[in-house]
Amino acid sequence: MKKGIVELSDLILVNKSDGQLEIPARMAQMEYISALKFVQSRTPNWKADVLRVSSAEKNGIDDAWKNMKQYYSQLISSNNLYQRRGLQQRRWMWKIIEQEIMLRLQSDSKVKTLVQSLENEVTEGVVTSGHAAEVILDAFLRQDVLKGQ
């Protein structure tokens, strides 16, 4: 059981809670319930639930769906859904910027030669990675500024 997954969970479903796996499913449910006691909810006024379901026997699915709808209603009524979406959009914006800068940096023929040279120097310990990054960025940005003039 990974700690980070439990911390991000708003609902945990333990599947295959049927037949010979019903007892292990109950044990897994108890472990998750125990782990959630130490985790603060990301959503105000919401406590993550741990439910057992069986798709083969169609048990627990209605309860799981009901829980999901309650959670969604809580997100809407607290405006939390829109706040999260806004933060998610902002993170995506910066991720796109990072990817685009890297793409442009790696495809720039003039900087590419400098990068290869500095990569070797960093590998050999001649220059630090921080210094090499600074030199590459300065060369790339200076070139970009000159294009704009």
Side-chain angles (χ1 to χ4, degrees), residues 34-52:
S34 179
L36 283 171
K37 289 177 185 174
F38 302 104
V39 175
Q40 184 175 2
S41 177
R42 298 179 311 139
T43 305
N45 303 319
W46 183 259
K47 183 181 176 295
D49 209 352
V50 182
L51 305 175
R52 287 180 293 113

Side-chain angles (χ1 to χ4, degrees), residues 22-136:
E22 189 164 356
I23 292 173
R26 284 181 193 275
M27 291 172 57
Q29 180 185 30
M30 288 187 292
E31 285 184 43
Y32 281 118
I33 289 170
S34 179
L36 283 171
K37 289 177 185 174
F38 302 104
V39 175
Q40 184 175 2
S41 177
R42 298 179 311 139
T43 305
N45 303 319
W46 183 259
K47 183 181 176 295
D49 209 352
V50 182
L51 305 175
R52 287 180 293 113
V53 296
S54 167
S55 55
E57 294 181 1
K58 300 194 183 350
N59 290 333
I61 295 170
D62 289 339
D63 289 338
W65 183 242
K66 181 180 170 186
N67 190 293
M68 288 179 220
K69 290 190 329 188
Q70 288 172 340
Y71 179 64
Y72 182 77
S73 294
Q74 174 64 26
L75 284 175
I76 294 295
S77 67
S78 67
N79 204 33
N80 202 275
L81 179 66
Y82 304 110
Q83 292 170 350
R84 285 186 186 183
R85 289 293 177 255
L87 292 173
Q88 187 179 49
Q89 292 291 334
R90 192 165 73 191
R91 281 193 305 271
W92 286 346
M93 177 191 76
W94 282 108
K95 194 67 171 166
I96 291 166
I97 290 170
E98 288 173 14
Q99 290 171 349
E100 187 62 28
I101 288 173
M102 286 301 296
L103 182 67
R104 290 182 189 193
L105 187 63
Q106 291 168 344
S107 63
D108 187 297
S109 59
K110 292 179 182 172
V111 175
K112 199 177 270 189
T113 307
L114 178 62
V115 167
Q116 291 169 345
S117 168
L118 284 169
E119 280 180 341
N120 290 335
E121 290 182 26
V122 167
T123 303
E124 294 167 6
V126 176
V127 297
T128 66
S129 54
H131 176 71
E134 231 177 278
V135 170
I136 292 166

Side-chain angles (χ1 to χ4, degrees), residues 3-15:
K3 182 181 175 190
I5 299 299
V6 174
E7 290 173 344
L8 293 175
S9 300
D10 301 307
L11 170 64
I12 298 175
L13 299 178
V14 179
N15 196 14

